[in-house]
Amino acid sequence: DGYELSFLAPFSQRYYRRLGYEQAVSAFTYEIDAQKFRPAKVEAQRKVERTPLANFVDEVAEYYRQTVATQDGKINRQPWWWHYLTLKNKWNVAKVYDSTQMTSYAIYEIQGTNIVVSEMNYQDWDAYQTLLNFIAAHSSMVERFIFKDYSNFYQGHYSLEPGEMNVHVEPYMMGRIVNFKRFIAKYPFENEFGTMFIKIEDDVLQSNNGVWKVSKAGIEQEFQEDHWQIRGKINDL
């Protein structure tokens, strides 16, 4: 179908590893006592509206669609997916506006004495800080802030004392290179690296197998099987 990459949430990593997939994304859960939450500094105050997600799911989905291409690890959700999320969860959304344009949102839920933030999407620092301020305003209502994050980056700044924050990390998504030639041609190499000869071993997709000559000028298959510098399974790559 023309895809370079495939991602999935596995029922068994061992099973999908045999098909060329490997651990790619981790899920972080941060638990912070309300009094230890780090206050945010906002240069310019912005308007915040809160509502059940189901009431404005189309607006939130459109904002997500516009930002998905510029952020790592985002998956383009179809309309049925958004609808499913509103059926499965009793989520609220806090939407931040700059004048009349939405600049960020946070999807959250009050669960007993906790506020659980399932997703934050923003395009600039002030919008992000505004979201954190909105969440911090619940400190008199809840005992604990819980953030779920899938960015693969540790967010120690949530707490005044990161060492007193409970952080749980668990495997989440697996990924696979489907078409090595197209994938590597699009890969955003930052430095000039000359020419590399990479030998790929793929037990499932035979079209990826062989030695590939890779340079900034392009990629082509090398027909000398013993002429390689880097060798590995498609999983390792």
Side-chain angles (χ1 to χ4, degrees):
D1 290 335
Y3 292 103
E4 288 85 22
L5 292 171
S6 170
F7 290 91
L8 55 82
F11 72 90
S12 165
Q13 288 220 0
R14 180 168 56 181
Y15 175 83
Y16 281 105
R17 192 169 288 116
R18 294 184 303 176
L19 301 179
Y21 287 84
E22 191 49 76
Q23 168 68 26
V25 181
S26 296
F28 287 74
T29 302
Y30 302 86
E31 296 186 5
I32 311 154
D33 289 342
Q35 65 270 22
K36 296 292 178 63
F37 189 67
R38 185 175 181 177
K41 295 181 179 179
V42 181
E43 297 295 330
Q45 290 293 331
R46 301 186 184 184
K47 180 182 177 183
V48 182
E49 289 185 4
R50 71 179 88 186
T51 179
L53 176 62
N55 292 356
F56 287 89
V57 66
D58 291 340
E59 183 183 12
V60 172
E62 176 58 22
Y63 179 86
Y64 181 95
R65 187 193 65 78
Q66 293 174 7
T67 60
V68 67
T70 62
Q71 299 181 15
D72 293 340
K74 289 286 193 298
I75 295 176
N76 192 15
R77 297 175 183 148
Q78 299 301 313
W80 66 262
W81 192 340
W82 282 102
H83 180 60
Y84 167 73
L85 290 176
T86 65
L87 295 177
K88 181 182 179 183
N89 307 284
K90 296 179 180 179
W91 282 345
N92 297 307
V93 60
K95 302 177 296 176
V96 177
Y97 289 90
D98 183 359
S99 184
T100 59
Q101 184 176 3
M102 187 165 72
T103 59
S104 62
Y105 69 80
I107 294 174
Y108 69 98
E109 182 181 4
I110 304 292
Q111 296 180 356
T113 59
N114 301 328
I115 182 170
V116 181
V117 182
S118 298
E119 180 171 298
M120 287 194 286
N121 197 358
Y122 52 90
Q123 292 179 282
D124 63 69
W125 184 249
D126 271 352
Y128 176 52
Q129 297 294 87
T130 301
L131 288 176
L132 293 180
N133 266 354
F134 170 81
I135 295 162
H138 293 76
S139 59
S140 61
M141 300 169 50
V142 300
E143 297 176 1
R144 190 177 293 106
F145 297 104
I146 299 176
F147 291 85
K148 295 185 179 295
D149 190 277
Y150 307 94
S151 66
N152 270 352
F153 296 103
Y154 171 67
Q155 307 284 0
H157 62 269
Y158 283 147
S159 176
L160 287 167
E161 294 292 342
E164 298 178 9
M165 182 170 58
N166 290 325
V167 184
H168 181 66
V169 185
E170 60 184 340
Y172 182 48
M173 299 284 280
M174 297 185 81
R176 190 203 206 284
I177 296 173
V178 177
N179 186 311
F180 171 76
K181 185 176 181 179
R182 283 207 306 262
F183 166 77
I184 206 71
K186 288 184 175 182
Y187 192 83
F189 291 105
E190 294 182 356
N191 302 306
E192 178 58 59
F193 53 84
T195 301
M196 294 187 295
F197 291 88
I198 305 176
K199 185 171 184 178
I200 303 297
E201 298 170 353
D202 193 329
D203 296 333
V204 177
L205 297 174
Q206 298 302 317
S207 55
N208 290 327
N209 277 319
V211 179
W212 298 89
K213 179 182 177 182
V214 180
S215 69
K216 286 262 184 150
I219 177 172
E220 59 187 57
Q221 196 147 19
E222 170 67 38
F223 293 100
Q224 300 180 54
E225 286 293 314
D226 60 345
H227 188 199
W228 54 267
Q229 298 163 296
I230 301 171
R231 173 186 175 185
K233 291 264 188 189
I234 196 75
N235 313 56
D236 301 322
L237 189 64

